[in-house]
Amino acid sequence: MATLLRKIGLIRLHNRDTEDPKHHHNHRGGGQQSASLRGKGGAKSGGHKQQQQQQPQQQQHPGGAGDASPGPGKGKGKRAAELAPRDKAPAAAAAAAAAGAGGPRERAAGARAGPGPAVAAAAGGSLVPAARQQHCTQVRSRRLMKELQDIARLSDRFISVELVDESLFDWNVKLHQVDKDSVLWQDMKETNTEFILLNLTFPDNFPFSPPFMRVLSPRLENGYVLDGGAICMELLTPRGWSSAYTVEAVMRQFAASLVKGQGRICRKAGKSKKSFSRKEAEATFKSLVKTHEKYGWVTPPVSDG
């Protein structure tokens, strides 16, 4: 009899140790199934699909349904393992957002992506104008150097150039010749005036904008020379200027306008010795530009050349 009881006890212990763990899992999940039955009608089928999707994950983690000896705390561990992949993604995203570009990987990714729009805009605000200014300076310098070389090669010595304080952008130009049949030429001979001296200053965006040109000496009357030595010529205005105009061409046009406008050397006592001023010339030129922009420039007849 004792032997029979020992055999029965061993059979029970064996059945308990080899019992299917799914029985415990289903027993623990009974509350969840009852809750799902109180929900929508399609929740049972969804729970069945979710259970089928969880089985491969349970086989990968120890303590799941595939473990032959589940302990008393393995059910909670299995549930935590199932929820871990869902919780890792938001947590990782939050950590990356909080860390910013602190880690080496984040810094490497930021370097590959390049600066953001705000950084690029801030950098562009300071770098673009500086680069543009440097480019304009190079264009202006190359153009003026070429102009100087072309003037030096003139065979008729029509004009000559001297740099003011060795500045490439500030010239004193001597006009040596005008029409020899004009009264202005006669005035130059009678007053022993060898040349008409003009000053040309070139803006930063030359040759796309005209130079500012004014007469320095002698003091002239008429000939489209106004107060301060300002010169009334449309091609010297932003509207009439072209980047194709050269200094030589501008000076030849000025010599022609002097003769056409009956320019004369001022011989009045006291007034002839008064020199032109740049400030007065600039104010006069601005005023005449506004006047001509409002009323237009008078085009001379074809018979006048």
Side-chain angles (χ1 to χ4, degrees):
M1 186 67 179
T3 303
L4 180 60
L5 291 176
R6 284 196 298 270
K7 289 182 179 181
I8 293 173
L10 291 174
I11 292 172
R12 287 181 179 177
L13 289 174
H14 178 73
N15 291 339
R16 186 185 62 183
D17 295 336
T18 59
E19 186 179 7
D20 188 4
K22 292 184 179 179
H23 173 72
H24 297 284
H25 175 70
N26 294 333
H27 178 72
R28 288 192 298 270
Q32 297 177 357
Q33 293 178 359
S34 61
S36 64
L37 288 175
R38 292 194 296 269
K40 297 182 180 180
K44 183 181 292 184
S45 60
H48 179 66
K49 293 180 179 179
Q50 182 178 2
Q51 184 177 359
Q52 292 179 352
Q53 294 175 358
Q54 291 174 357
Q55 289 179 0
Q57 299 178 0
Q58 293 171 1
Q59 295 176 1
Q60 297 176 3
H61 299 280
D67 194 354
S69 58
K74 295 296 180 66
K76 295 182 181 180
K78 177 182 66 178
R79 184 62 178 171
E82 294 172 359
L83 297 177
R86 303 178 186 176
D87 299 335
K88 284 181 180 179
R105 293 185 179 180
E106 289 80 1
R107 289 195 296 268
R112 289 192 298 268
V119 177
S126 59
L127 294 179
V128 172
R132 184 179 300 173
Q133 183 177 3
Q134 182 179 5
H135 175 70
C136 291
T137 302
Q138 293 176 353
V139 172
R140 179 175 59 159
S141 300
R142 288 196 297 265
R143 173 64 179 269
L144 291 177
M145 289 296 295
K146 184 179 184 304
E147 296 268 4
L148 285 174
Q149 293 173 0
D150 293 342
I151 292 173
R153 287 195 292 263
L154 290 177
S155 58
D156 57 355
R157 201 175 176 269
F158 172 67
I159 57 175
S160 61
V161 176
E162 293 179 356
L163 302 182
V164 179
D165 296 330
E166 299 182 355
S167 172
L168 184 61
F169 313 124
D170 192 356
W171 294 7
N172 280 344
V173 180
K174 297 178 179 180
L175 176 62
H176 297 279
Q177 300 178 16
V178 295
D179 188 356
K180 296 181 179 181
D181 295 331
S182 64
V183 292
L184 179 58
W185 179 257
Q186 296 298 324
D187 288 346
M188 292 177 67
K189 291 297 183 181
E190 293 175 1
T191 57
N192 294 323
T193 302
E194 297 182 359
F195 53 82
I196 298 174
L197 183 63
L198 299 97
N199 178 257
L200 279 76
T201 54
F202 301 91
D204 293 339
N205 55 347
F206 179 84
F208 307 105
S209 291
F212 178 68
M213 189 169 78
R214 63 190 181 100
V215 177
L216 296 180
S217 64
R219 191 175 184 89
L220 300 177
E221 296 178 333
N222 302 325
Y224 304 105
V225 177
L226 307 179
D227 295 342
I231 301 170
C232 182
M233 289 175 58
E234 185 180 6
L235 63 83
L236 293 176
T237 65
R239 179 178 296 182
W241 175 258
S242 171
S243 59
Y245 293 156
T246 63
V247 173
E248 178 191 355
V250 171
M251 292 302 298
R252 292 190 183 277
Q253 180 66 28
F254 170 68
S257 67
L258 279 178
V259 175
K260 180 180 177 60
Q262 301 295 318
R264 302 291 302 270
I265 294 178
C266 181
R267 301 188 186 187
K268 296 179 181 178
K271 190 176 181 180
S272 60
K273 296 182 180 181
K274 185 180 179 180
S275 60
F276 290 130
S277 67
R278 180 183 180 87
K279 184 176 181 180
E280 186 179 7
E282 290 177 344
T284 303
F285 186 76
K286 290 180 180 179
S287 177
L288 72 89
V289 168
K290 289 181 179 179
T291 301
H292 285 293
E293 285 181 350
K294 184 176 181 179
Y295 298 103
W297 293 82
V298 178
T299 302
V302 179
S303 59
D304 293 342

